[in-house]
Amino acid sequence: MRRFEWNEEEMEQLLQQLPRVMDERSKEAVYERLSANLQRKRIKTFAIPSIASAAALLLFIVLGSSFMSRHEVEEKVSKNAEDRAIVMEMASSNQEEKGVSEPSAAIPSRVVNGTSEQNVVVFGIPDLHAQHVIPVSIFVDKNGKSYREQFEKAKSVLNEAEWGLSESLLDSLTIVEFNDDGRLTVQIPSDHAVFRGGTAGEEMFLESIEETFRWNGIKEVAFLTDDKKGVQLSHTAWLDSLTIEKTNRGYFLYQLDPTHPVFLTPTNESFPNIQSALNKMDDPADSLLRPAIPKNVKIEAVRINGDEATVQFSNTLQLANTPENLWMLEAILLTAKEFGFKSVVFTGGNVEQIGPYTFHTKISVPLAPNPMPLH
């Protein structure tokens, strides 16, 4: 067959002679047509219902590589629609999974309860931004060893980097004397990092001392520097000892990022009563912290009966068995411990149990926060 070699002007004239063809279908109708084609095999058939279609087909053959076939276009559009449908289905599935409550066994508790078969040693460790001191509990065997020996053993298994925390400022600190009257003496080497830091480093060091030893009932920590009495902190003061004051604090959540553990972290401020502490726990002023009590959760009342506190959630809530709600209860339990309560009863919330905590039942306050490492 002879090859037609038309110039640009002849092609333009040919196009002008073709009848005008319009597709009056809506975009929705076209899309439905393309989607329906995905459900059956494509049968490559060509019909020539009119002279206009025949002319269009002839023009398509002439232009060849200059135009994409209608079949190819249809396949691309259909493939894109299919891909979008798959992505939307996956997104919908992920969204549904977020709303599903987790089984309590899958949610890591952030407290050590009083029935633990091991002793715990608590260390106050600064966060990675050196803004907050976070209490971390290390399990040690109940084998009759002294607190000093337990302290040294627990110190050897600290893994701050893995937990998303700063290096402990107590690594090179040694307990040289421990008295049953609540007084403890520690030895600080002269090359300790606190002597090379500024004011912020000294404050973190002293806060780490307080947070570490208050959990063991220590009321005063005396200092030695290379066997000499006292410690000279150039930006703070010369200290013979540090009195550990009683604090009444609430708790927030700290987590460096989703690849690191969540920690219950005490507030920097102390409160006059448990109600005021709970009121603060839904609004941390620091961007590094998250609320321990979600904004949508309302505590309607806190009733005090001796050393027992009853925390009543709003009955308009539907509390679910989620990590956030479990950690909320544990933050409240730790806050109650700060104020000297021995037990807490949770009511309301249209729920019977969250994690191991049964509502309308007396729950003992925890022994300590943040057991590590997580198992």
Side-chain angles (χ1 to χ4, degrees), residues 22 39 91 149 154 196 203-204 232 249 268 272 278 314 327-328 346:
M22 295 184 62
Q39 307 300 324
E149 292 172 308
R196 302 189 299 272
E203 290 178 354
M204 283 288 101
Q232 179 64 55
R249 297 184 286 181
N268 289 330
L278 296 179
S314 171
W327 298 329
M328 171 184 69
F346 295 113

Side-chain angles (χ1 to χ4, degrees), residues 133-145:
V133 173
I134 298 170
V136 173
S137 298
I138 305 297
F139 290 103
V140 292
D141 293 331
K142 289 183 176 179
N143 53 8
K145 291 185 178 180

Side-chain angles (χ1 to χ4, degrees), residues 196-209:
R196 302 189 299 272
T199 304
E202 293 176 2
E203 290 178 354
M204 283 288 101
F205 173 73
L206 294 177
E207 288 182 27
S208 295
I209 292 282

